[in-house]
Amino acid sequence: MKRLLATTAIAALFAAPAFAVELTVGAANVAPYLDPGRDHSNVGSQFYHNAFDTLIAKTVVDGETVWKPALATEWTLIEPTVMELKLREGVKFHNGEDMTADDVVFSLNRMYQATFPPYQVRSRDRLSNFAKAEKIDDHTIRIHAKREEPLWETLLNLQQVMIIPENYTKGLTGDPAVAENDDFEAFSLKPVGTGPYRIATFSPGEELVYERFADFWGDSAPLDRVTVKRMPETASRMTALKTGEADIITNVAPDQLALIESDPALKTVGAPTALFHVMIMNMNHPRLEDPRIRQAMSLAIDRDMLNEALWLGKAVVPSSHTMEEFGPLYMPELKTFEYDPEKAKALLEEAGYDGFEITFDTAPTYYTNGLLAAQAIMEMWAEVGINGKVQVGDKWTGNAPEMMARNWSNPMYFSDPFGSFGVMWAPNGPSESEGRFNTDEDYAEIWERFRFSDDVETRKAAYAELMDRIKANPPVLPLYRPYESWAMRQDVNWAPQPGNIPYVLDFRAGAIDFASN
């Protein structure tokens, strides 16, 4: 909560602030671990921006990305596959150590040359074109790509390549001269970065406390302390907001907005999130190998109706796996996904569907409206003759051979189709590696043209081909871009920043302030 803590006259003489500002956030979920390299979950991605930095930062101005110096002050492509970066001097980690070129090389190579299995997954799905980072001198490094890279700045701005301290990490367990898997496991419970807030305490899955880091290299953090508490039920979050236990709460469904906005002490902010809630289908399940059945499962779903019923029409229903944030690669002209129940019925008949049960897995609270959407989809399936059943549980089943369909999300990790569709559905990406999606040489060739061309029209044409493949043999249906809302006290001025990936709780300088009392 925002509390005014009077300072003594003596402290004032030393230019101490007149009061300290503390904030409490009631969050639907808190991450079970904190490691920016390992994590890419919707829950975990909320928590890194305040405590860690990348080499290159960004801001979004009128929808356009502008790259800015961060831990690197300048960067130059000195060869087609080699980027040289000059490092900022005087940067400190939260444990008091100076950041060095060795820390930067260690941080990058832990991802580029990953040996820790969770890092290997993240490296493979977005960083596979990078060979290594090397130290040139105390303030200069070079990054080597395997082939010409059209997205240098974008991929140096990823959460996964935030900078962590080498000696601290290696010293957490075992041999302090070697980075071991147990070191990275330990780091995820005792994380250290260079950002404006240090993580003072962390209770996995329950609570995280940030404190202002006095030695931050940039603009000072505007808050002295931020406590993020897990409050999984919407009703409990709303009660906490009304009673003053929380100043901001996350994941407010549209049907609760009017109740909050009717209270003059409270307000809401919200927007369609740069993320798709999706239905995934296991093309390798013996019962779903015929693509006509999966086409029917997709065609039976009236996504506009889901939007109206669950999101009051505030969500965005896509015609394809595309978002405005993709800029020149935004392709709303593609008609990859549609609602056609009569065609669904015909396809089921052609495929010889005999009424076998198709299960749909969902967590009870992870996605806003996720369970309600699953229940509504069962009714839509029934109307075309599909015998569906919702299975509720907290366990991730996307890698289980018996999984048939379930909800998932495809966030926009960066502003490019590669940053949303590509991260999830590239050859050897998480969908294929978890065994529910298949690619072949033709798909891989199309992907190569899309991923590595520096010509926008070539990339668009290749992406259209990929969408044709997805339409013919569907593994996924983007349901909608959900309209996510946050609620807060009237005197708190905060909104999610357009340059961040979805759900980030950004409390850096310029991101939050308080109305005058």
Side-chain angles (χ1 to χ4, degrees), residues 20 166 351 362 420 456:
E166 179 180 17
T362 181
S420 180
V456 169

Side-chain angles (χ1 to χ4, degrees), residues 329-384:
L329 275 295
Y330 175 49
M331 300 177 68
E333 67 274 14
L334 301 180
K335 306 300 179 186
T336 310
F337 310 108
E338 58 185 334
Y339 171 57
D340 191 336
E342 294 307 313
K343 185 176 180 180
K345 292 176 184 177
L347 287 169
L348 290 170
E349 184 175 356
E350 287 179 20
Y353 174 67
D354 61 5
F356 63 79
E357 185 176 81
I358 299 178
T359 55
F360 188 108
D361 299 347
T362 181
T365 60
Y366 189 89
Y367 297 114
T368 305
N369 285 332
L371 177 55
L372 291 175
Q375 293 167 337
I377 287 170
M378 294 307 98
E379 295 180 12
M380 295 173 183
W381 280 0
E383 290 181 4
V384 302

Side-chain angles (χ1 to χ4, degrees), residues 303-318:
R303 296 174 299 148
D304 288 319
M305 181 179 290
L306 289 178
N307 182 16
E308 292 298 327
L310 302 179
W311 302 96
L312 307 183
K314 295 176 179 288
V316 174
V317 177

Side-chain angles (χ1 to χ4, degrees), residues 318-320 322 331-337 460 463-464 467-468:
S319 60
S320 187
T322 192
M331 300 177 68
E333 67 274 14
L334 301 180
K335 306 300 179 186
T336 310
F337 310 108
K460 290 176 70 173
Y463 194 64
M467 291 299 100
D468 286 341

Side-chain angles (χ1 to χ4, degrees), residues 257-320:
L257 296 179
L259 182 61
I260 293 171
E261 290 166 352
S262 68
D263 187 331
L266 307 176
K267 64 184 179 183
T268 66
V269 298
T273 306
L275 164 148
F276 288 127
H277 284 183
V278 304
M279 175 183 71
I280 57 175
M281 296 163 280
N282 184 358
M283 62 167 56
N284 292 318
H285 192 285
R287 293 291 191 120
L288 302 182
E289 289 179 342
D290 189 327
R292 293 172 294 185
I293 294 177
R294 284 177 277 112
Q295 288 175 12
M297 292 163 63
S298 178
L299 290 163
I301 299 173
D302 187 341
R303 296 174 299 148
D304 288 319
M305 181 179 290
L306 289 178
N307 182 16
E308 292 298 327
L310 302 179
W311 302 96
L312 307 183
K314 295 176 179 288
V316 174
V317 177
S319 60
S320 187

